[in-house]
PDB file of all heavy atoms in Angstrom:
ATOM      1  N   LEU A   1     -13.868  -5.586 -13.640  1.00  0.00           N
ATOM      2  CA  LEU A   1     -13.483  -4.258 -13.161  1.00  0.00           C
ATOM      3  C   LEU A   1     -12.523  -4.357 -11.984  1.00  0.00           C
ATOM      4  O   LEU A   1     -11.575  -3.592 -11.866  1.00  0.00           O
ATOM      5  CB  LEU A   1     -14.721  -3.462 -12.735  1.00  0.00           C
ATOM      6  CG  LEU A   1     -15.615  -2.924 -13.836  1.00  0.00           C
ATOM      7  CD1 LEU A   1     -16.911  -2.378 -13.251  1.00  0.00           C
ATOM      8  CD2 LEU A   1     -14.893  -1.840 -14.616  1.00  0.00           C
ATOM      9  N   GLU A   2     -12.788  -5.295 -11.104  1.00  0.00           N
ATOM     10  CA  GLU A   2     -11.982  -5.441  -9.901  1.00  0.00           C
ATOM     11  C   GLU A   2     -10.577  -5.969 -10.194  1.00  0.00           C
ATOM     12  O   GLU A   2      -9.597  -5.523  -9.602  1.00  0.00           O
ATOM     13  CB  GLU A   2     -12.683  -6.416  -8.949  1.00  0.00           C
ATOM     14  CG  GLU A   2     -11.897  -6.773  -7.704  1.00  0.00           C
ATOM     15  CD  GLU A   2     -12.567  -7.887  -6.923  1.00  0.00           C
ATOM     16  OE1 GLU A   2     -13.692  -7.656  -6.440  1.00  0.00           O
ATOM     17  OE2 GLU A   2     -11.977  -8.980  -6.818  1.00  0.00           O
ATOM     18  N   ARG A   3     -10.473  -6.899 -11.157  1.00  0.00           N
ATOM     19  CA  ARG A   3      -9.218  -7.634 -11.333  1.00  0.00           C
ATOM     20  C   ARG A   3      -8.361  -7.171 -12.503  1.00  0.00           C
ATOM     21  O   ARG A   3      -7.260  -7.682 -12.683  1.00  0.00           O
ATOM     22  CB  ARG A   3      -9.543  -9.120 -11.511  1.00  0.00           C
ATOM     23  CG  ARG A   3     -10.219  -9.702 -10.296  1.00  0.00           C
ATOM     24  CD  ARG A   3     -10.614 -11.139 -10.509  1.00  0.00           C
ATOM     25  NE  ARG A   3     -11.356 -11.627  -9.354  1.00  0.00           N
ATOM     26  CZ  ARG A   3     -11.803 -12.857  -9.235  1.00  0.00           C
ATOM     27  NH1 ARG A   3     -11.574 -13.748 -10.193  1.00  0.00           N
ATOM     28  NH2 ARG A   3     -12.475 -13.219  -8.170  1.00  0.00           N
ATOM     29  N   ALA A   4      -8.851  -6.243 -13.305  1.00  0.00           N
ATOM     30  CA  ALA A   4      -8.100  -5.845 -14.507  1.00  0.00           C
ATOM     31  C   ALA A   4      -7.948  -4.336 -14.568  1.00  0.00           C
ATOM     32  O   ALA A   4      -8.797  -3.593 -14.076  1.00  0.00           O
ATOM     33  CB  ALA A   4      -8.824  -6.354 -15.746  1.00  0.00           C
ATOM     34  N   ASP A   5      -6.867  -3.891 -15.213  1.00  0.00           N
ATOM     35  CA  ASP A   5      -6.658  -2.452 -15.360  1.00  0.00           C
ATOM     36  C   ASP A   5      -6.806  -1.987 -16.810  1.00  0.00           C
ATOM     37  O   ASP A   5      -6.582  -0.812 -17.103  1.00  0.00           O
ATOM     38  CB  ASP A   5      -5.307  -2.030 -14.772  1.00  0.00           C
ATOM     39  CG  ASP A   5      -4.125  -2.725 -15.440  1.00  0.00           C
ATOM     40  OD1 ASP A   5      -4.335  -3.603 -16.302  1.00  0.00           O
ATOM     41  OD2 ASP A   5      -2.977  -2.389 -15.089  1.00  0.00           O
ATOM     42  N   THR A   6      -7.176  -2.888 -17.714  1.00  0.00           N
ATOM     43  CA  THR A   6      -7.488  -2.505 -19.096  1.00  0.00           C
ATOM     44  C   THR A   6      -8.716  -3.285 -19.551  1.00  0.00           C
ATOM     45  O   THR A   6      -9.069  -4.316 -18.962  1.00  0.00           O
ATOM     46  CB  THR A   6      -6.328  -2.823 -20.075  1.00  0.00           C
ATOM     47  OG1 THR A   6      -6.206  -4.243 -20.207  1.00  0.00           O
ATOM     48  CG2 THR A   6      -5.013  -2.197 -19.633  1.00  0.00           C
ATOM     49  N   ALA A   7      -9.331  -2.804 -20.607  1.00  0.00           N
ATOM     50  CA  ALA A   7     -10.505  -3.487 -21.156  1.00  0.00           C
ATOM     51  C   ALA A   7     -10.150  -4.892 -21.623  1.00  0.00           C
ATOM     52  O   ALA A   7     -10.892  -5.850 -21.363  1.00  0.00           O
ATOM     53  CB  ALA A   7     -11.098  -2.665 -22.305  1.00  0.00           C
ATOM     54  N   GLU A   8      -9.029  -5.044 -22.300  1.00  0.00           N
ATOM     55  CA  GLU A   8      -8.666  -6.369 -22.804  1.00  0.00           C
ATOM     56  C   GLU A   8      -8.375  -7.339 -21.663  1.00  0.00           C
ATOM     57  O   GLU A   8      -8.729  -8.519 -21.729  1.00  0.00           O
ATOM     58  CB  GLU A   8      -7.489  -6.299 -23.772  1.00  0.00           C
ATOM     59  CG  GLU A   8      -7.238  -7.635 -24.437  1.00  0.00           C
ATOM     60  CD  GLU A   8      -6.280  -7.584 -25.613  1.00  0.00           C
ATOM     61  OE1 GLU A   8      -5.575  -6.572 -25.773  1.00  0.00           O
ATOM     62  OE2 GLU A   8      -6.261  -8.565 -26.370  1.00  0.00           O
ATOM     63  N   LYS A   9      -7.747  -6.859 -20.593  1.00  0.00           N
ATOM     64  CA  LYS A   9      -7.498  -7.731 -19.443  1.00  0.00           C
ATOM     65  C   LYS A   9      -8.817  -8.116 -18.764  1.00  0.00           C
ATOM     66  O   LYS A   9      -8.975  -9.247 -18.302  1.00  0.00           O
ATOM     67  CB  LYS A   9      -6.552  -7.058 -18.452  1.00  0.00           C
ATOM     68  CG  LYS A   9      -5.112  -6.993 -18.945  1.00  0.00           C
ATOM     69  CD  LYS A   9      -4.232  -6.286 -17.930  1.00  0.00           C
ATOM     70  CE  LYS A   9      -2.824  -6.092 -18.467  1.00  0.00           C
ATOM     71  NZ  LYS A   9      -1.998  -5.273 -17.554  1.00  0.00           N
ATOM     72  N   ALA A  10      -9.775  -7.185 -18.708  1.00  0.00           N
ATOM     73  CA  ALA A  10     -11.095  -7.500 -18.148  1.00  0.00           C
ATOM     74  C   ALA A  10     -11.794  -8.561 -18.992  1.00  0.00           C
ATOM     75  O   ALA A  10     -12.439  -9.469 -18.458  1.00  0.00           O
ATOM     76  CB  ALA A  10     -11.947  -6.238 -18.050  1.00  0.00           C
ATOM     77  N   LEU A  11     -11.660  -8.462 -20.302  1.00  0.00           N
ATOM     78  CA  LEU A  11     -12.196  -9.482 -21.205  1.00  0.00           C
ATOM     79  C   LEU A  11     -11.602 -10.846 -20.838  1.00  0.00           C
ATOM     80  O   LEU A  11     -12.331 -11.835 -20.715  1.00  0.00           O
ATOM     81  CB  LEU A  11     -11.868  -9.115 -22.652  1.00  0.00           C
ATOM     82  CG  LEU A  11     -12.108 -10.170 -23.724  1.00  0.00           C
ATOM     83  CD1 LEU A  11     -13.583 -10.439 -23.900  1.00  0.00           C
ATOM     84  CD2 LEU A  11     -11.498  -9.728 -25.043  1.00  0.00           C
ATOM     85  N   SER A  12     -10.303 -10.909 -20.636  1.00  0.00           N
ATOM     86  CA  SER A  12      -9.648 -12.167 -20.277  1.00  0.00           C
ATOM     87  C   SER A  12     -10.152 -12.703 -18.936  1.00  0.00           C
ATOM     88  O   SER A  12     -10.373 -13.910 -18.784  1.00  0.00           O
ATOM     89  CB  SER A  12      -8.124 -11.988 -20.229  1.00  0.00           C
ATOM     90  OG  SER A  12      -7.638 -11.712 -21.522  1.00  0.00           O
ATOM     91  N   VAL A  13     -10.339 -11.818 -17.969  1.00  0.00           N
ATOM     92  CA  VAL A  13     -10.870 -12.241 -16.663  1.00  0.00           C
ATOM     93  C   VAL A  13     -12.244 -12.880 -16.846  1.00  0.00           C
ATOM     94  O   VAL A  13     -12.521 -13.964 -16.322  1.00  0.00           O
ATOM     95  CB  VAL A  13     -10.960 -11.040 -15.688  1.00  0.00           C
ATOM     96  CG1 VAL A  13     -11.799 -11.380 -14.467  1.00  0.00           C
ATOM     97  CG2 VAL A  13      -9.565 -10.565 -15.278  1.00  0.00           C
ATOM     98  N   ILE A  14     -13.097 -12.235 -17.607  1.00  0.00           N
ATOM     99  CA  ILE A  14     -14.464 -12.733 -17.793  1.00  0.00           C
ATOM    100  C   ILE A  14     -14.470 -14.075 -18.515  1.00  0.00           C
ATOM    101  O   ILE A  14     -15.162 -15.006 -18.087  1.00  0.00           O
ATOM    102  CB  ILE A  14     -15.326 -11.689 -18.531  1.00  0.00           C
ATOM    103  CG1 ILE A  14     -15.497 -10.436 -17.669  1.00  0.00           C
ATOM    104  CG2 ILE A  14     -16.692 -12.282 -18.895  1.00  0.00           C
ATOM    105  CD1 ILE A  14     -16.057  -9.242 -18.422  1.00  0.00           C
ATOM    106  N   VAL A  15     -13.699 -14.206 -19.589  1.00  0.00           N
ATOM    107  CA  VAL A  15     -13.720 -15.479 -20.322  1.00  0.00           C
ATOM    108  C   VAL A  15     -13.061 -16.599 -19.513  1.00  0.00           C
ATOM    109  O   VAL A  15     -13.489 -17.753 -19.610  1.00  0.00           O
ATOM    110  CB  VAL A  15     -13.146 -15.375 -21.756  1.00  0.00           C
ATOM    111  CG1 VAL A  15     -13.972 -14.405 -22.583  1.00  0.00           C
ATOM    112  CG2 VAL A  15     -11.686 -15.011 -21.774  1.00  0.00           C
ATOM    113  N   ASP A  16     -12.069 -16.273 -18.687  1.00  0.00           N
ATOM    114  CA  ASP A  16     -11.471 -17.288 -17.812  1.00  0.00           C
ATOM    115  C   ASP A  16     -12.500 -17.775 -16.784  1.00  0.00           C
ATOM    116  O   ASP A  16     -12.601 -18.977 -16.519  1.00  0.00           O
ATOM    117  CB  ASP A  16     -10.233 -16.746 -17.100  1.00  0.00           C
ATOM    118  CG  ASP A  16      -9.038 -16.559 -18.026  1.00  0.00           C
ATOM    119  OD1 ASP A  16      -9.077 -17.061 -19.179  1.00  0.00           O
ATOM    120  OD2 ASP A  16      -8.073 -15.891 -17.610  1.00  0.00           O
ATOM    121  N   LEU A  17     -13.276 -16.859 -16.220  1.00  0.00           N
ATOM    122  CA  LEU A  17     -14.320 -17.241 -15.264  1.00  0.00           C
ATOM    123  C   LEU A  17     -15.431 -18.037 -15.950  1.00  0.00           C
ATOM    124  O   LEU A  17     -15.946 -19.011 -15.383  1.00  0.00           O
ATOM    125  CB  LEU A  17     -14.898 -15.993 -14.585  1.00  0.00           C
ATOM    126  CG  LEU A  17     -13.947 -15.281 -13.612  1.00  0.00           C
ATOM    127  CD1 LEU A  17     -14.492 -13.912 -13.237  1.00  0.00           C
ATOM    128  CD2 LEU A  17     -13.704 -16.131 -12.381  1.00  0.00           C
ATOM    129  N   LEU A  18     -15.774 -17.628 -17.148  1.00  0.00           N
ATOM    130  CA  LEU A  18     -16.786 -18.346 -17.924  1.00  0.00           C
ATOM    131  C   LEU A  18     -16.327 -19.784 -18.191  1.00  0.00           C
ATOM    132  O   LEU A  18     -17.093 -20.741 -18.037  1.00  0.00           O
ATOM    133  CB  LEU A  18     -17.059 -17.616 -19.242  1.00  0.00           C
ATOM    134  CG  LEU A  18     -18.101 -18.211 -20.164  1.00  0.00           C
ATOM    135  CD1 LEU A  18     -19.475 -18.186 -19.534  1.00  0.00           C
ATOM    136  CD2 LEU A  18     -18.114 -17.449 -21.481  1.00  0.00           C
ATOM    137  N   GLU A  19     -15.074 -19.936 -18.554  1.00  0.00           N
ATOM    138  CA  GLU A  19     -14.512 -21.259 -18.823  1.00  0.00           C
ATOM    139  C   GLU A  19     -14.535 -22.128 -17.559  1.00  0.00           C
ATOM    140  O   GLU A  19     -14.872 -23.307 -17.615  1.00  0.00           O
ATOM    141  CB  GLU A  19     -13.077 -21.112 -19.339  1.00  0.00           C
ATOM    142  CG  GLU A  19     -12.442 -22.397 -19.772  1.00  0.00           C
ATOM    143  CD  GLU A  19     -12.997 -22.946 -21.075  1.00  0.00           C
ATOM    144  OE1 GLU A  19     -13.531 -22.176 -21.893  1.00  0.00           O
ATOM    145  OE2 GLU A  19     -12.894 -24.168 -21.268  1.00  0.00           O
ATOM    146  N   LYS A  20     -14.202 -21.521 -16.428  1.00  0.00           N
ATOM    147  CA  LYS A  20     -14.110 -22.280 -15.180  1.00  0.00           C
ATOM    148  C   LYS A  20     -15.479 -22.589 -14.574  1.00  0.00           C
ATOM    149  O   LYS A  20     -15.720 -23.693 -14.098  1.00  0.00           O
ATOM    150  CB  LYS A  20     -13.253 -21.504 -14.173  1.00  0.00           C
ATOM    151  CG  LYS A  20     -12.975 -22.253 -12.894  1.00  0.00           C
ATOM    152  CD  LYS A  20     -11.969 -21.533 -12.030  1.00  0.00           C
ATOM    153  CE  LYS A  20     -11.657 -22.355 -10.793  1.00  0.00           C
ATOM    154  NZ  LYS A  20     -10.671 -21.688  -9.938  1.00  0.00           N
ATOM    155  N   TYR A  21     -16.410 -21.592 -14.593  1.00  0.00           N
ATOM    156  CA  TYR A  21     -17.668 -21.747 -13.867  1.00  0.00           C
ATOM    157  C   TYR A  21     -18.905 -21.835 -14.764  1.00  0.00           C
ATOM    158  O   TYR A  21     -19.974 -22.190 -14.291  1.00  0.00           O
ATOM    159  CB  TYR A  21     -17.857 -20.580 -12.883  1.00  0.00           C
ATOM    160  CG  TYR A  21     -16.776 -20.526 -11.851  1.00  0.00           C
ATOM    161  CD1 TYR A  21     -15.760 -19.578 -11.936  1.00  0.00           C
ATOM    162  CD2 TYR A  21     -16.748 -21.433 -10.802  1.00  0.00           C
ATOM    163  CE1 TYR A  21     -14.754 -19.523 -10.988  1.00  0.00           C
ATOM    164  CE2 TYR A  21     -15.742 -21.386  -9.844  1.00  0.00           C
ATOM    165  CZ  TYR A  21     -14.751 -20.428  -9.946  1.00  0.00           C
ATOM    166  OH  TYR A  21     -13.760 -20.395  -9.001  1.00  0.00           O
ATOM    167  N   GLY A  22     -18.779 -21.459 -16.026  1.00  0.00           N
ATOM    168  CA  GLY A  22     -19.950 -21.433 -16.896  1.00  0.00           C
ATOM    169  C   GLY A  22     -20.888 -20.295 -16.508  1.00  0.00           C
ATOM    170  O   GLY A  22     -20.509 -19.377 -15.791  1.00  0.00           O
ATOM    171  N   GLN A  23     -22.105 -20.369 -16.991  1.00  0.00           N
ATOM    172  CA  GLN A  23     -23.101 -19.361 -16.644  1.00  0.00           C
ATOM    173  C   GLN A  23     -24.450 -20.036 -16.612  1.00  0.00           C
ATOM    174  O   GLN A  23     -24.632 -21.142 -17.086  1.00  0.00           O
ATOM    175  CB  GLN A  23     -23.086 -18.206 -17.637  1.00  0.00           C
ATOM    176  CG  GLN A  23     -23.457 -18.605 -19.065  1.00  0.00           C
ATOM    177  CD  GLN A  23     -23.408 -17.431 -20.014  1.00  0.00           C
ATOM    178  OE1 GLN A  23     -23.766 -16.323 -19.661  1.00  0.00           O
ATOM    179  NE2 GLN A  23     -22.957 -17.682 -21.228  1.00  0.00           N
ATOM    180  N   GLY A  24     -25.402 -19.340 -16.078  1.00  0.00           N
ATOM    181  CA  GLY A  24     -26.744 -19.906 -16.003  1.00  0.00           C
ATOM    182  C   GLY A  24     -27.448 -19.406 -14.771  1.00  0.00           C
ATOM    183  O   GLY A  24     -26.997 -18.490 -14.100  1.00  0.00           O
ATOM    184  N   GLY A  25     -28.561 -20.014 -14.490  1.00  0.00           N
ATOM    185  CA  GLY A  25     -29.359 -19.601 -13.345  1.00  0.00           C
ATOM    186  C   GLY A  25     -30.490 -18.713 -13.790  1.00  0.00           C
ATOM    187  O   GLY A  25     -30.498 -18.145 -14.882  1.00  0.00           O
ATOM    188  N   ASN A  26     -31.472 -18.631 -12.926  1.00  0.00           N
ATOM    189  CA  ASN A  26     -32.652 -17.837 -13.217  1.00  0.00           C
ATOM    190  C   ASN A  26     -32.308 -16.354 -13.137  1.00  0.00           C
ATOM    191  O   ASN A  26     -31.682 -15.915 -12.178  1.00  0.00           O
ATOM    192  CB  ASN A  26     -33.749 -18.180 -12.201  1.00  0.00           C
ATOM    193  CG  ASN A  26     -35.108 -17.749 -12.658  1.00  0.00           C
ATOM    194  OD1 ASN A  26     -35.249 -17.161 -13.720  1.00  0.00           O
ATOM    195  ND2 ASN A  26     -36.109 -18.029 -11.857  1.00  0.00           N
ATOM    196  N   CYS A  27     -32.710 -15.594 -14.131  1.00  0.00           N
ATOM    197  CA  CYS A  27     -32.389 -14.159 -14.112  1.00  0.00           C
ATOM    198  C   CYS A  27     -33.580 -13.307 -13.691  1.00  0.00           C
ATOM    199  O   CYS A  27     -33.608 -12.121 -13.955  1.00  0.00           O
ATOM    200  CB  CYS A  27     -31.821 -13.718 -15.458  1.00  0.00           C
ATOM    201  SG  CYS A  27     -32.671 -14.306 -16.886  1.00  0.00           S
ATOM    202  N   MET A  28     -34.526 -13.925 -13.032  1.00  0.00           N
ATOM    203  CA  MET A  28     -35.644 -13.172 -12.459  1.00  0.00           C
ATOM    204  C   MET A  28     -35.862 -13.662 -11.032  1.00  0.00           C
ATOM    205  O   MET A  28     -35.607 -14.820 -10.726  1.00  0.00           O
ATOM    206  CB  MET A  28     -36.921 -13.389 -13.276  1.00  0.00           C
ATOM    207  CG  MET A  28     -36.823 -12.849 -14.688  1.00  0.00           C
ATOM    208  SD  MET A  28     -38.393 -12.955 -15.542  1.00  0.00           S
ATOM    209  CE  MET A  28     -39.336 -11.709 -14.691  1.00  0.00           C
ATOM    210  N   GLU A  29     -36.344 -12.775 -10.170  1.00  0.00           N
ATOM    211  CA  GLU A  29     -36.596 -13.159  -8.786  1.00  0.00           C
ATOM    212  C   GLU A  29     -37.842 -14.024  -8.650  1.00  0.00           C
ATOM    213  O   GLU A  29     -37.985 -14.751  -7.684  1.00  0.00           O
ATOM    214  CB  GLU A  29     -36.705 -11.914  -7.912  1.00  0.00           C
ATOM    215  CG  GLU A  29     -35.372 -11.213  -7.747  1.00  0.00           C
ATOM    216  CD  GLU A  29     -35.456  -9.978  -6.879  1.00  0.00           C
ATOM    217  OE1 GLU A  29     -36.506  -9.762  -6.241  1.00  0.00           O
ATOM    218  OE2 GLU A  29     -34.473  -9.226  -6.846  1.00  0.00           O
TER     219      GLU A  29
END
């Protein structure tokens, strides 16, 4: 939302971040 002005550009931002940092971690406190 912060870095893109269209849905497709937001998709690209997310997949670029996913590629660079991956995902994971505990999703509960």
Side-chain angles (χ1 to χ4, degrees):
L1 286 170
E2 174 188 296
R3 298 176 185 182
D5 60 355
T6 69
E8 188 168 15
K9 287 179 186 174
L11 169 68
S12 294
V13 167
I14 295 167
V15 299
D16 289 348
L17 290 167
L18 181 64
E19 185 72 24
K20 186 172 183 179
Y21 298 104
Q23 63 181 323
N26 198 358
C27 45
M28 296 187 71
E29 290 180 10

